[in-house]
Amino acid sequence: MSEKTAAETASTRRWFTLATVALAQLMVVLDATVVNIALPAAQADLGFSNGDRQWVVTAYSLAFGSLLLLGGRVSDLIGRKRAFIIGLIGFAAASALGGAADSFGTLVAARALQGLFGALLAPTALAVLTTTFTIPKERARAFGVFGAIAGAGGAVGLLLGGYLTQDFSWRWNLYINVFFAIVAVIGALIFVPTNKRTGPRPKLDVPGTLLVSGGLFALVYGFSNAETNGWGDFWTWSMLVASGILLVAFVLWQRRAKHPLLPLKIVLHRNRGASYLSVFVAGSGMFAVFLFLTYYLQTSLGFSPITTGLSFLPMIACLVLAAQLGTNIFVPRFGPKVLVPIGMVMASAALAWMTLLDLSSTYAANILPPLMLMGLAMGTIMPASIQTATLGVDRQYAGVASAMVNTSQQVGGSISTALLNTLVATAVTNYIASNIAGATTPAAQAAVAAQAAVNGYHVAYWCASGFFLAGAIMAALLFERKASIHATLHAAHATAEQHRENDRQADASAATAG
């Protein structure tokens, strides 16, 4: 086989690897929202209370958020291909268990198992992408696709969830993962390369794992509890205090551990730190769009679940378009220091625009324009941030560095869930208290309640808009200039080529010895 043919074959194989990884990432990301649409139907079928309903969502987020760093490190230790396949099979099995659930307890247990295997699968998928695509031009295209999926997965989940729930059954929101996983496992067996370890087998940082897993669990649980039981509840503030103590202890331990779970140099690297913060901001701000705009469309304007899902399609199209243009044209030319702040400002403007929505708004004239602008913004932020977050990382730490991307997004979403819901609830209560006295008929009282909900959504949009604006300033200050990014990219490419050459020499030596 000629060198040219071998290079073309390797390139084709890499794109099939991308398709496999993208499918797995889509499965994990959309599962965070696809089940939300199915909750009312599942509640009616299994007969659990409104108070228990939150645990179907929380069980997943607790396991997923608290175990992400461990999952990323495990993929570094046992090999990314093996971890990827284990994650796919485990996620599919947990999804099948949830789809067949005949009780509330079984459904919650299945969701927790989904979170556990998702915590292994998500960082492994990104690590496979990071170590597979090292040629700068190919890397840009690959991360454009991956970033688009990371940003649009939630909206796809709303669309798919509405369709499956309305035309089939809520159980198919879970069963569908089995089909995704079968295709992805076949692709992984054929196309995902087996990473070879050189040198002694690395060890797992057990104290660090316990500290960070406990800290992240307490953090996610504390904010989830605040959403339902308030900030004064014992379990809310005690868990948040415990989280702070455990995470500080984790950082101190990482400074002295022989085999740290998360070497601090990964996070303290200027570009990677800026990328993690950007993903955190994006994950937090997007919650305002997916949750409150969904509520607005269904409860205020009366859209059906599937119509609500379809309403997000233009945003997805704009996100994909911006992701491809950004990673292939604009990021190589201007770098994340320019692109990410621009995306943040666009997102801030889109959310500010949404504060103009009211009970008489129409989709085409009032909702579609800011929704499309939000898609363009997320397509500008996410691919550039994710690509930079994993750029130049030593491949022995690719898994845990990738896990930090997912951790940033998950923690950002958990925090914004609690904060924005609290602010919205307070705004709704205050509006009703101020205006209910003049409503003397049931119709007038219903009108006050409907307007109160819209005013509450406006508070969420303004807060998220301000958060994105602060993120724009942060990104502009922290990201390095384009020249530094290019130097790191070419150094990473040279290192990857050296690793591949070492692997080829090792294979040749083994064949000769055999």
Side-chain angles (χ1 to χ4, degrees), residues 140 322-337 339-340 379-381 383-385 387-388 482 485-486:
Q324 293 306 309
L325 290 175
T327 52
N328 290 299
I329 299 174
F330 299 126
V331 172
R333 181 170 298 178
F334 302 109
K337 188 176 184 69
L339 264 291
V340 174
T380 304
I381 297 168
S385 298
Q387 181 178 357
T388 309
K482 183 183 67 172
I485 301 290
H486 279 311

Side-chain angles (χ1 to χ4, degrees), residues 148-219:
I149 290 172
V156 174
L158 293 173
L159 174 60
L160 184 62
Y163 171 71
L164 292 174
T165 302
Q166 187 166 301
D167 289 2
F168 292 90
S169 161
W170 68 268
R171 298 180 183 276
W172 278 98
N173 287 278
L174 294 160
Y175 285 143
I176 193 68
N177 289 323
V178 177
F179 298 98
F180 286 153
I182 289 173
V183 176
V185 167
I186 294 172
L189 289 170
I190 299 173
F191 300 113
V192 174
T194 302
N195 58 302
K196 301 177 181 179
R197 184 178 63 251
T198 57
R201 181 182 182 87
K203 297 180 180 179
L204 180 64
D205 176 16
V206 176
T209 298
L210 295 175
L211 287 171
V212 75
S213 297
L216 291 173
F217 179 91
L219 182 68

Side-chain angles (χ1 to χ4, degrees), residues 207-260:
T209 298
L210 295 175
L211 287 171
V212 75
S213 297
L216 291 173
F217 179 91
L219 182 68
V220 175
Y221 184 91
F223 279 109
S224 298
N225 195 69
E227 181 187 356
T228 53
N229 298 322
W231 295 97
D233 184 77
F234 170 80
W235 287 108
T236 297
W237 59 261
S238 63
M239 279 292 185
L240 293 178
V241 169
S243 170
I245 294 172
L246 289 170
L247 292 176
V248 168
F250 169 71
V251 172
L252 294 175
W253 171 254
Q254 294 305 282
R255 295 178 63 183
R256 58 189 295 265
K258 284 188 175 181
H259 305 281

Side-chain angles (χ1 to χ4, degrees), residues 219-228 231 236 240 287 291-292 412-425:
L219 182 68
V220 175
Y221 184 91
F223 279 109
S224 298
N225 195 69
E227 181 187 356
T228 53
W231 295 97
T236 297
L240 293 178
F287 175 80
L291 182 67
F292 295 113
S414 298
I415 291 175
S416 66
T417 298
L419 291 178
L420 294 179
N421 263 325
T422 301
L423 293 171
V424 168

Side-chain angles (χ1 to χ4, degrees), residues 27 52 214:
M27 184 172 69
D52 288 335

